[in-house]
Amino acid sequence: MSRITGIVAEYNPFHKGHAYHLKKARELTDAEHLVVIMSGDFVQRGAPAMFDKYLRTRMALLNGADLVLELPVSSACASAEYFASGAVQVLDRLGCVDALCFGSESGDTAALAACAEALLTEHTAYQHTLRSLLKKGYSFPAARKEAFADLNRSESLAGLLDSPNNILGLEYIKALKRSNSKIQPFALKREGAGYHDKDLSASFPSATAIRNFLKEIPAGDKKIPSGYDGFLTNTMPSSAALLAADRLSGESPVWEDDFSLLLRYKLMLHTPQELSMYSDMSPELARRIHARLNEYQSFSQFSALLKTRELTYTRISRALLHVLLNIKAEERPLSVPPYARILGFKKADRGLLREIKEKAEIPLITKAADYQKLLDETAREKFRQDLFASNLYETVRTQKNGTTFVNDIQKPPVIL
């Protein structure tokens, strides 16, 4: 029986830090196989991925991943708790994953586990303090840290909540504990630039820095400008840089503002009460959206316009994306995931697929069109939600670049 390690990722885009993570995860956990569960065409910060899920899958497979599965869109676009829970539950129900390796600023698995245990044990008291602080006008990140410090009285543990990858790692461990999973967590210390760092001179520049640089490509310019090839080579593994350069030579990346007109149309359809039904949408935010809709210019501009001390830009972007993708609050992904969809795998690892098929508690979907016969009606509806999200993305990508639309249900997995 092989040792299998899971990794949760977005790869938006895939860069040298991701390749380092895959390499070190294999070493740290003594893994024979690496299974990545990756966000599809939309990501956790409430935006489209700059490259589609199949290109990012190919990049991952060329740089150490053995199998890439798609994280259902309702989890992929959710807050840290629900994002982590959805990913962990898919990995857990494969029935053969031994470890979960994630990057964090601290790299201290024991400290993160202690923090997770405290939050789970004192959940009611923590939530009470958190709500109280939010009512006083604290931003959510500040309230979360203060509430934990009040609960735990440990400055060192509360300090873990200052960093985004620590927070996500904490949520992975909470999800594992909540599920009584046999999967063991391993925190790998993050090297190079921080998650939000825009410095391109770091040894491993962040995905944020790379996206910001590539956004400077003139709108409508399909030819990658002189000098960008070198930038890609400096920030991405050579195989990923070649794929990115090839794509950028014929297409522009996809950004949130490419969905601006579609989003405005969806917002115009709803009353504040109807908007409140969407995930991450509070009644207060719904009323604010309705009151300021006449000032709408673009997806990003409107997210910035709606930002307050209590509501972060990312929280607002996620709420707006949920409206666009029709993801309702009642669909919060803490329930058992109904399937695992394959985005790509290596031919040499067919034994891994056989092991998963033998042990998985949920259907493994290799060919998208087979979902009708593999899933019950509830699961089919969830899968159709994923198809809708990817087809909306493909519509915008192909319209923007003058390329041919291909329905997601017709696309085969990437096989190397």
Side-chain angles (χ1 to χ4, degrees):
M1 187 171 63
S2 57
R3 183 165 174 80
I4 301 169
T5 292
I7 289 172
V8 185
E10 293 185 325
Y11 298 150
N12 184 35
F14 192 95
H15 56 65
K16 287 183 176 179
H18 295 134
Y20 173 85
H21 180 200
L22 287 165
K23 179 176 181 291
K24 288 298 182 181
R26 195 180 292 274
E27 295 173 2
L28 180 64
T29 65
D30 194 28
E32 184 178 342
H33 300 293
L34 295 180
V35 175
V36 174
I37 178 160
M38 186 186 79
S39 301
D41 290 317
F42 294 90
V43 296
Q44 202 250 340
R45 65 188 182 90
M50 63 174 291
F51 295 134
D52 69 80
K53 61 189 180 185
Y54 296 102
L55 182 63
R56 287 156 41 233
T57 292
R58 188 173 293 276
M59 290 176 177
L61 292 173
L62 287 169
N63 287 280
D66 298 307
L67 171 67
V68 180
L69 304 173
E70 181 174 4
L71 181 62
V73 68
S74 58
S75 295
C77 300
S79 62
E81 179 182 10
Y82 299 104
F83 175 91
S85 179
V88 163
Q89 289 191 73
V90 172
L91 289 172
D92 192 47
R93 281 156 182 79
L94 295 181
C96 56
V97 176
D98 304 289
L100 170 61
C101 185
F102 54 87
S104 81
E105 289 81 3
S106 73
D108 190 336
T109 307
L112 289 166
C115 188
E117 186 64 36
L119 286 169
L120 289 170
T121 304
E122 301 291 342
H123 179 74
T124 302
Y126 168 77
Q127 288 293 332
H128 175 76
T129 305
L130 180 67
R131 284 193 293 270
S132 176
L133 292 169
L134 289 171
K135 286 180 181 177
K136 291 179 181 178
Y138 282 66
S139 69
F140 183 79
R144 175 175 53 200
K145 182 180 178 182
E146 187 71 21
F148 182 79
D150 183 68
L151 157 72
N152 193 262
R153 305 295 181 190
S154 169
E155 288 188 15
S156 61
L157 289 185
L160 293 173
L161 299 179
D162 282 332
S163 307
N165 289 103
N166 282 342
I167 292 167
L168 200 49
L170 173 64
E171 294 298 345
Y172 292 139
I173 297 174
K174 282 172 61 182
L176 290 171
K177 288 177 176 290
R178 215 186 281 117
S179 302
N180 292 317
S181 175
K182 69 177 181 64
I183 297 175
Q184 295 297 306
F186 288 83
L188 176 66
K189 186 171 176 59
R190 184 184 175 95
E191 300 291 342
Y195 182 82
H196 296 298
D197 198 332
K198 298 178 182 178
D199 181 13
L200 286 168
S201 64
S203 55
F204 295 130
S206 70
T208 301
I210 296 171
R211 287 194 305 272
N212 285 346
F213 185 84
L214 291 175
K215 273 188 176 181
E216 297 304 312
I217 295 177
D221 188 351
K222 291 184 180 179
K223 297 296 181 185
I224 185 167
S226 175
Y228 278 69
D229 289 31
F231 163 77
L232 295 173
T233 303
N234 289 336
T235 57
M236 306 171 91
S238 57
S239 58
L242 286 170
L243 288 170
D246 182 64
R247 173 61 61 85
L248 291 170
S249 69
E251 290 188 24
S252 297
V254 178
W255 310 113
E256 56 264 49
D257 284 349
D258 294 321
F259 293 82
S260 294
L261 190 59
L262 289 169
L263 174 61
R264 175 155 190 163
Y265 169 73
K266 283 296 296 287
L267 294 176
M268 289 172 64
L269 290 175
H270 297 299
T271 65
Q273 186 176 5
E274 290 167 341
L275 284 174
S276 298
M277 297 187 299
Y278 291 96
S279 187
D280 276 323
M281 184 73 72
S282 66
E284 293 76 18
L285 178 55
R287 289 192 292 270
R288 188 171 172 80
I289 287 170
H290 199 260
R292 307 204 68 172
L293 192 55
N294 287 346
E295 300 171 68
Y296 185 104
Q297 295 175 24
S298 69
F299 195 138
S300 61
Q301 171 269 344
F302 201 51
S303 296
L305 180 70
L306 296 171
K307 184 177 177 294
T308 66
R309 274 188 61 191
E310 298 82 16
L311 291 172
T312 64
Y313 179 96
T314 300
R315 162 70 188 276
I316 293 165
S317 294
R318 272 200 299 267
L320 294 176
L321 184 61
H322 290 148
V323 175
L324 184 65
L325 299 181
N326 204 38
I327 298 173
K328 303 291 179 63
E330 70 227 21
E331 297 166 17
R332 284 201 184 278
L334 282 178
S335 58
V336 177
Y339 52 83
R341 182 185 179 183
I342 295 175
L343 290 178
F345 62 92
K346 292 177 180 172
K347 281 183 181 179
D349 289 299
R350 289 188 185 275
L352 171 62
L353 292 180
R354 282 195 298 270
E355 185 171 350
I356 292 174
K357 286 179 179 177
E358 288 171 6
K359 297 180 178 179
E361 301 172 23
I362 52 178
L364 189 65
I365 299 175
T366 305
K367 186 179 178 183
D370 289 343
Y371 86 95
Q372 295 275 19
K373 62 184 180 184
L374 292 174
L375 305 179
D376 63 26
E377 185 50 41
T378 301
R380 283 182 211 144
E381 188 57 38
K382 189 89 168 172
F383 195 82
R384 283 192 283 266
Q385 189 177 61
D386 292 345
L387 291 174
F388 171 78
S390 286
N391 284 330
L392 183 67
Y393 180 97
E394 177 79 346
T395 298
V396 169
R397 182 175 81 87
T398 55
Q399 286 287 317
K400 179 178 183 178
N401 292 292
T403 52
T404 303
F405 173 90
V406 180
N407 194 299
D408 194 41
I409 204 166
Q410 299 173 310
K411 294 182 180 180
V414 177
I415 303 175
L416 294 184

